[in-house]
């Protein structure tokens, strides 16, 4: 398959007269990093891979260097990480695209390996692949993502320039429309020229867009995508975010997937993950003829509830994302479930005989790393299946239900992950220890910033600078 893919790609590169191809990979935050290479180098990379610096794995969300890379063991006690060494990235031919907004530029997603061919232990895409390989069913995922469209009102200047581990002032933007006219057609039409460009770009990229709408906040947009198998869905999310941000900037606009920008009237954005298991013939295994969910679906749901606290780190990995978890906000505040209930953490959709029966987990923020978020859901759900867990009765008043509260901060969620046996077993101690350190570096900088300052429930200037233009 690799070989056929390569021959095909060679033809395509010539036919499209490409001048560069971006070799892209997912960093630990789920952001797309890339190097652009000439066509001969690209063709060589298809067969032999391409060297990159391991550094993007070791940087926190402000480019802060978290590990002492130049000491023995790379500050991680891992000989193979000493000295910020090279990795080899190997393009995955099935992910190739020609970028609609960048003439004659191709794009391909790569997997990371050490130079001796060992798969790279911190690769989020590999981590998801490993989870999928362990599961005998297909994991089917649908993306429902909210984000903000704004207009850029200043040129990038020295004030926006930061330093490693400290971002400059976030770029100033203006709202696209006044907001709070839910699903307003005229509100949407103010954004239509940009949304149309985006829809065209998603189409050319083969991203299975279903709908675009004007959400609640000023310039808040929601996009939904058709269900895909899990790895494709994760790749779709990575490309969707980076494509949206790039197309918008080229139009003088700004897109952010930060959950709650520190701007007047900005309501939280969520990333709801629709999920089900199907057999190899595509039959939905969560669907039942006489119940809301099959026994498999119920145990999977119970697994999501049982591991909700540690899994929150992967669904909501930023300081900012925890500001979503408020009562009566359409975002959950505790680990509960309901049937078609938008206040519950897991909203069951479908029902008896419905082949589209699925679980919508509403816990995620749009900035989450898609590979880790999706892998954590599968690990939690399948543990529920393995232990035949029972989710208990549904919660019709989710904000009053007697259920465990979700972590109230990134710190609480990281502590829950540190104590959790499931994710240590499934993702490996090496990955968990690494990830805890990475996220605690970000959290530590936030805590330092807040020292001596008064804070409230509102997002801070620190968050705005840290996340607005990173996600
Ligand atoms: N914005 C809400 C959230 O943060 C979701 C709104 C909706 O249900 O569409 O999850
Ligand atoms: Mg929505």
């Amino acid at each position: 398959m690799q070989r056929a893919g390569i021959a095909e790609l060679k033809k395509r590169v010539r036919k499209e007269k490409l001048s560069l191809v971006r070799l892209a990979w997912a960093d630990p935050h789920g952001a797309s990093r890339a190097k652009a290479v000439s066509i001969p180098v690209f063709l060589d990379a298809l067969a032999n891979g391409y060297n990159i610096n391991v550094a993007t794995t070791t940087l926190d969300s402000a480019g802060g260097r978290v590990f002492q890379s130049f000491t023995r063991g790379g500050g991680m006690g891992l000989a193979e990480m000493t000295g910020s060494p090279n990795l080899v990235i190997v393009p995955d031919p099935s992910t190739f695209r020609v970028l609609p907004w960048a003439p004659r530029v191709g794009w391909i997603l790569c997997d990371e390996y050490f130079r001796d061919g060992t798969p790279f232990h911190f690769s989020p895409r590999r981590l998801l692949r490993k989870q999928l390989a362990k599961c005998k069913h297909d994991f089917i995922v649908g993306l429902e993502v909210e984000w903000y469209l704004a207009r850029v009102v200043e040129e990038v200047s020295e004030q926006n320039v930061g330093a490693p581990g400290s971002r400059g002032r976030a770029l100033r933007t203006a709202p696209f429309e006044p907001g709070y006219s839910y699903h307003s057609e005229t509100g949407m039409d103010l954004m239509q020229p940009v949304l149309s460009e985006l829809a065209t770009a998603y189409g050319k990229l083969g991203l299975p867009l279903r709908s675009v709408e004007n959400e609640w906040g000023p310039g808040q947009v929601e996009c939904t995508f058709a269900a895909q198998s899990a790895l494709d869905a994760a790749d779709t999310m990575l490309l969707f975010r980076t494509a949206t941000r790039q197309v918008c900037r080229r139009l003088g606009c700004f897109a952010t997937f930060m959950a709650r920008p520190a701007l007047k009237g900005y309501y939280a954005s969520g990333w709801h993950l629709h999920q089900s298991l199907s057999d190899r013939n595509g039959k939905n295994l969560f669907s039942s003829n006489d119940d809301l969910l099959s026994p498999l679906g119920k145990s999977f749901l119970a697994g999501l509830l049982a591991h909700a606290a540690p899994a929150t780190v992967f669904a909501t990995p930023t300081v900012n994302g925890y500001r979503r978890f408020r009562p009566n906000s359409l975002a959950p505040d505790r680990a509960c479930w309901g049937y078609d209930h938008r206040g519950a953490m897991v909203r069951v959709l479908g029902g008896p005989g419905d082949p589209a029966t699925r679980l919508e987990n509403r816990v995620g923020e749009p900035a989450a790393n898609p590979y880790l978020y999706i892998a954590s859901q599968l690990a939690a759900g399948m543990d529920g299946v393995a232990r035949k867990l029972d989710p208990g009765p549904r919660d019709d008043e989710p904000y009053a239900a007697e259920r465990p509260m979700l972590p109230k901060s990134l710190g609480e969620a990281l502590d829950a992950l540190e104590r959790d046996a499931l994710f240590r077993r499934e993702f490996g101690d090496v990955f968990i220890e690494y990830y805890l350190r990475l996220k605690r570096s970000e959290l530590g900088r936030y805590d330092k910033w807040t020292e001596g300052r008064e804070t409230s429930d509102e997002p801070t200037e620190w968050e705005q600078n840290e996340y607005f233009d990173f996600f």
Side-chain angles (χ1 to χ4, degrees):
M1 144 70 197
Q2 284 276 52
R3 295 229 161 268
I6 291 174
E8 194 69 12
L9 276 190
K10 283 186 176 162
K11 268 194 238 149
R12 179 115 189 251
V13 162
R14 242 177 267 127
K15 196 177 129 235
E16 307 254 5
K17 298 195 173 59
L18 298 188
S19 55
L20 289 169
V21 176
R22 292 185 193 165
L23 305 179
W25 66 96
D27 77 5
H29 312 283
S32 178
R33 308 269 178 174
K35 286 203 185 203
V37 298
S38 66
I39 301 310
V41 174
F42 169 60
L43 297 179
D44 183 67
L46 286 174
N48 302 314
Y50 186 80
N51 286 341
I52 61 161
N53 183 340
V54 76
T56 56
T57 307
T58 63
L59 302 175
D60 70 15
S61 50
R65 280 167 38 188
V66 177
F67 304 93
Q68 289 186 300
S69 303
F70 304 113
T71 62
R72 193 168 291 124
M76 302 179 173
L78 297 171
E80 63 275 25
M81 293 297 283
T82 306
S84 199
N86 268 350
L87 292 176
V88 179
I89 52 172
V90 179
D92 177 345
S94 68
T95 64
F96 181 82
R97 270 58 174 205
V98 175
L99 295 181
W101 63 90
R104 305 206 296 139
V105 179
W107 185 93
I108 197 162
L109 200 52
C110 304
D111 289 301
E112 313 96 307
Y113 295 83
F114 285 109
R115 276 169 328 208
D116 67 1
T118 317
F120 182 51
H121 32 48
F122 302 131
S123 160
R125 196 167 188 255
R126 170 171 175 262
L127 211 136
L128 173 58
R129 273 217 170 109
K130 271 180 78 176
Q131 281 305 312
L132 293 169
K134 277 191 206 171
C135 180
K136 65 176 188 214
H137 309 303
D138 283 336
F139 192 36
I140 307 297
V141 172
L143 312 175
E144 176 182 335
V145 191
E146 295 168 340
W147 55 280
Y148 271 96
L149 175 65
R151 231 183 274 283
V152 172
V153 297
E154 67 173 357
E155 296 283 327
V156 175
S157 74
E158 279 187 358
Q159 301 205 23
N160 310 115
V161 174
S166 121
R167 295 228 176 259
R169 175 174 62 65
L171 209 62
R172 292 220 165 90
T173 57
F176 228 98
E177 48 99 34
Y180 302 106
S181 297
Y182 189 47
H183 292 340
S184 157
E185 185 181 341
T186 44
M188 178 164 70
D189 195 60
L190 291 170
M191 304 187 276
Q192 190 65 56
V194 182
L195 300 180
S196 295
E197 291 287 336
L198 287 170
T200 305
Y202 303 151
K204 288 185 177 159
L205 292 169
L207 306 183
L209 183 73
R210 288 181 65 248
S211 64
V212 184
E213 68 207 36
N214 183 2
E215 252 288 344
W216 195 215
Q220 195 177 27
V221 180
E222 177 177 301
C223 292
T224 66
F225 292 87
Q228 292 176 284
S229 60
L231 186 65
D232 289 341
D235 291 347
T236 290
M237 184 66 178
L238 177 107
L239 187 51
F240 160 60
R241 284 195 304 220
T242 196
T244 303
R245 286 171 46 73
Q246 293 175 57
V247 169
C248 286
R249 280 309 287 276
R250 281 175 178 247
L251 296 169
C253 300
F254 193 89
T256 187
F257 291 83
M258 172 183 182
R260 269 197 70 195
L263 295 170
K264 182 172 177 247
Y266 272 48
Y267 198 78
S269 291
W271 169 12
H272 302 171
L273 202 75
H274 295 251
Q275 45 195 296
S276 61
L277 291 170
S278 70
D279 70 13
R280 298 295 186 211
N281 300 317
K283 183 174 174 289
N284 185 336
L285 298 173
F286 282 4
S287 156
S288 151
N289 282 334
D290 42 28
D291 207 347
L292 280 186
L293 287 171
S294 66
L296 179 82
K298 281 186 192 163
S299 310
F300 194 97
L301 163 60
L304 294 182
L305 299 179
H307 297 287
T312 306
V313 172
F314 301 113
T316 295
T318 69
V319 168
N320 182 255
Y322 290 80
R323 301 193 187 281
R324 275 183 67 233
F325 298 157
R326 294 175 167 195
N328 308 312
S329 67
L330 293 166
D333 72 348
R334 64 199 75 196
C336 63
W337 74 280
Y339 177 68
D340 191 6
H341 198 311
R342 290 185 164 82
M345 183 184 98
V346 181
R347 175 177 172 225
V348 176
L349 287 165
D354 186 340
T357 297
R358 61 196 185 276
L359 307 177
E360 175 194 356
N361 196 340
R362 302 169 63 86
V363 80
E365 65 168 321
N369 180 326
Y371 302 98
L372 301 181
Y373 183 12
I374 294 173
S376 67
Q377 299 292 288
L378 185 58
M382 288 312 287
D383 186 59
V385 171
R387 290 161 55 204
K388 296 197 169 55
L389 296 183
D390 178 346
R394 70 194 214 202
D395 303 291
D396 288 338
E397 289 190 36
Y399 295 112
E402 278 187 33
R403 294 275 195 174
M405 300 301 285
L406 290 171
K408 296 215 180 310
S409 64
L410 178 59
E412 267 188 37
L414 290 168
D415 292 346
L417 178 64
E418 184 164 31
R419 290 190 299 267
D420 184 75
L422 174 76
F423 289 111
R424 285 189 178 275
R425 190 184 78 213
E426 293 298 316
F427 292 3
D429 279 320
V430 169
F431 181 85
I432 296 295
E433 290 302 326
Y434 149 81
Y435 195 71
L436 288 171
R437 276 180 69 190
L438 193 74
K439 295 313 290 185
R440 282 182 174 146
S441 157
E442 175 183 329
L443 178 60
R445 288 189 292 96
Y446 171 71
D447 286 343
K448 204 156 160 214
W449 184 88
T450 56
E451 265 167 33
R453 280 188 166 88
E454 270 200 32
T455 52
S456 66
D457 281 352
E458 294 305 309
T460 58
E461 186 193 328
W462 182 92
E463 288 157 74
Q464 183 69 3
N465 296 344
E466 179 89 5
Y467 302 124
F468 192 55
D469 199 8
F470 182 56
F471 290 115

